[in-house]
Each structure stands twice: as structure tokens, then as C-alpha cells.
Amino acid sequence: MRNRMIAGNWKMNKTYTEGVQLAQDLAEALSDGTGNVDVVVCPPTVDLKGVSTVIDQQSAPFALGAQNVYWEESGAYTGETAPNMLEAVGATYCIIGHSERRDYFHETDEDVNKKAKTLMAHNIVPISCCGEPLEIREAGTHVAYVVDQIKKDTEGLEISDPAKYVVAYEPIWAIGTGKTATADDAQEVCGAIRATLAEIFGQETADGIRILYGGSAKPENVAGFLEKEDVDGALVGGASLKADSFSAMVKAAM
Ligand code: PEP
């Protein structure tokens, strides 16, 4: 019912030339196709156009995603990127609410919600991140914490096509640390996320929304997460920076 998804978040890595090279290598590595797996790459903003050109020229089997957006359409917002600018370079997905943006750039649930609404108005699919810090996990209140984020991040959203809204559960203590959550940890929270989405949008819509796990996911462990009922794919940081490891994850999901 739900196509699996493997999405790569390059974060602030890869210059324009390096990004184009990585996209070319990935197109080559995935030239036999990705089956039913939806693959998304999210380069830095200045690399988007270059990666978009590679996708077109090599008919690459992956979609383009941005890592951030601003909710206004245009104007005096120095340094920000408007949704129509993402559209113009071919981005069809955009990560919002990543814990690094919440932490270093003080992005709130209210901001995440506004970004989701703006993106959806432009037919760009949000990949909306949530996840708890270590102290919340240690206190055992992680499920309630994430459910609260989901409620705030989705407030007032209208989801007519569940394939066009994606959630990524990323426990902050597992991001870039080499510490992974277990597949059971991921299922516990992803199951609670789906139940919350069902309360808000109805079961049918919730059943169509992809929920990804993120946090030190790599070729060796991704299959274990994907076996879980409510884990539909992975949002991948470090392992998306090399074509061989990222394509291996896509193949593990096929
Ligand atoms: C991320 O930041 O989205 C992420 C999951 O990073 P990593 O895979 O490197 O832990």
C-alpha cells in the first residue's frame, strides 16, 4: 500500500562540483531502477540546480528535495529560499523541522507547521522531522514528546493525497552519533505516530503516509528497520554522501 522511501540528507556537505559528481555516480549506481522504492536526494540549496540537471540528463531514478524553505512567497527575507524558487529548480520534496534546524536555528513546531502548509500549497512534499533528545528518552517520555510534536506540526493541514506528506522519526541521540535506535525502538514511536495521524486525519489517510526512520541508518542495519510494520523507509545523513552506501540502502529496500 505504501511505497518505501529512501531519502538522503546531504546536510552542509558537497560543493556544487562535488554534488554534481555524487548525483552522477548515484544515477549510475541506480541505473537498473529502484523498483517500488521512492528515492529522494536533498543536496544543499546551491547544488539543487546542478543535481536537477543530472536527474534530467541521466533520467536518474530519484527525485530532488531541498533541506529547508521559508513560508513567505517573496520579499525582504535575506538568506531565505521561497517555495516557488524550489519549484523552479525541480525540487518536489523538502525536509522541514530537522533537529539540527530546531536546535541551531531555533525552528519551532509553529515554523514547521507554516513551512508544511506553504510547501503543500506548492505541491512540494514535506518530509517533516520529529524526534526526542536523549534526556527525554532517558526519562521514558519519548512517545508523548513525539506525539505532541506531530500534533503541533500537522495542525490545520489538509492531506488529500497521503503520498504527499512524509514524516521522519529521528531520535536526536541517534543522529550522526553512530548510536542507532533498535528496530523495536523505531517501531514503538513510528506506531504511535501513525496512531496519532489516524486520530487527526482518519485511518485511511494515516495508512497512506510514509513514516521514515533516521539516525545512523546504514546499509548494514536498514533492512531490520524496514521489517517493522510502521517503518516505511529511511532518512539517511552520513551514509547518503557516498553513492555506493546510499545505493546499497536503496537496494536493501527493494
Ligand atoms: C539525519 O540527519 O537526517 C540523519 C539521519 O543523519 P545520520 O544518518 O548521519 O545519523
Side-chain angles (χ1 to χ4, degrees):
M1 183 195 334
R2 299 183 291 268
N3 277 358
R4 284 178 171 168
M5 174 175 286
I6 303 292
N9 174 12
W10 294 3
K11 308 195 184 186
M12 198 175 72
N13 295 292
K14 305 293 175 189
T15 62
Y16 186 86
T17 311
E18 291 166 347
V20 166
Q21 184 65 56
L22 175 54
Q24 286 170 341
D25 292 347
L26 192 58
E28 181 65 35
L30 296 175
S31 58
D32 289 338
T34 64
N36 286 333
V37 180
D38 292 339
V39 181
V40 183
V41 297
C42 304
T45 309
V46 293
D47 296 359
L48 284 169
K49 179 65 188 159
V51 174
S52 174
T53 303
V54 172
I55 292 173
D56 288 346
Q57 285 176 345
Q58 294 186 224
S59 301
F62 49 84
L64 184 66
Q67 296 177 16
N68 190 24
V69 66
Y70 196 55
W71 54 79
E72 296 290 349
E73 296 295 324
S74 64
Y77 302 102
T78 302
E80 293 295 329
T81 309
N84 68 342
M85 295 172 183
L86 300 182
E87 256 182 316
V89 292
T92 50
Y93 290 84
C94 181
I95 298 169
I96 53 174
H98 193 280
S99 61
E100 288 151 14
R101 293 215 56 86
R102 292 178 188 257
D103 199 9
Y104 304 138
F105 304 103
H106 315 295
E107 198 162 298
T108 64
D109 287 311
E110 195 188 358
D111 297 340
V112 175
N113 179 257
K114 284 198 258 185
K115 290 179 180 196
K117 286 177 179 154
T118 301
L119 289 169
M120 290 165 88
H122 285 267
N123 212 20
I124 298 173
V125 179
I127 301 176
S128 188
C129 302
C130 56
E132 79 285 357
L134 184 60
E135 62 272 20
I136 296 288
R137 165 67 56 168
E138 286 176 345
T141 52
H142 48 285
V143 172
Y145 183 95
V146 173
V147 164
D148 184 60
Q149 284 183 318
I150 293 290
K151 287 182 179 163
K152 290 176 175 154
D153 295 349
T154 59
E155 203 177 311
L157 289 191
E158 281 173 28
I159 300 181
S160 50
D161 179 354
K164 299 213 164 157
Y165 185 78
V166 177
V167 175
Y169 168 57
E170 301 205 310
I172 299 170
W173 46 272
I175 296 180
T177 58
K179 273 189 204 162
T180 32
T182 65
D184 286 334
D185 290 337
Q187 171 57 31
E188 179 194 28
V189 181
C190 292
I193 292 172
R194 194 171 315 282
T196 307
L197 293 170
E199 273 171 32
I200 302 169
F201 299 108
Q203 191 67 51
E204 200 181 329
T205 299
D207 283 342
I209 293 176
R210 265 82 60 88
I211 304 175
L212 315 182
Y213 167 75
S216 302
K218 41 187 183 278
E220 304 79 60
N221 64 18
V222 71
F225 290 102
L226 295 174
E227 276 171 15
K228 295 294 172 184
E229 187 184 343
D230 291 300
V231 179
D232 304 310
L235 179 56
V236 186
S240 71
L241 295 174
K242 291 208 169 104
D244 57 355
S245 51
F246 191 63
S247 61
M249 295 178 79
V250 173
K251 287 174 188 166
M254 284 168 66

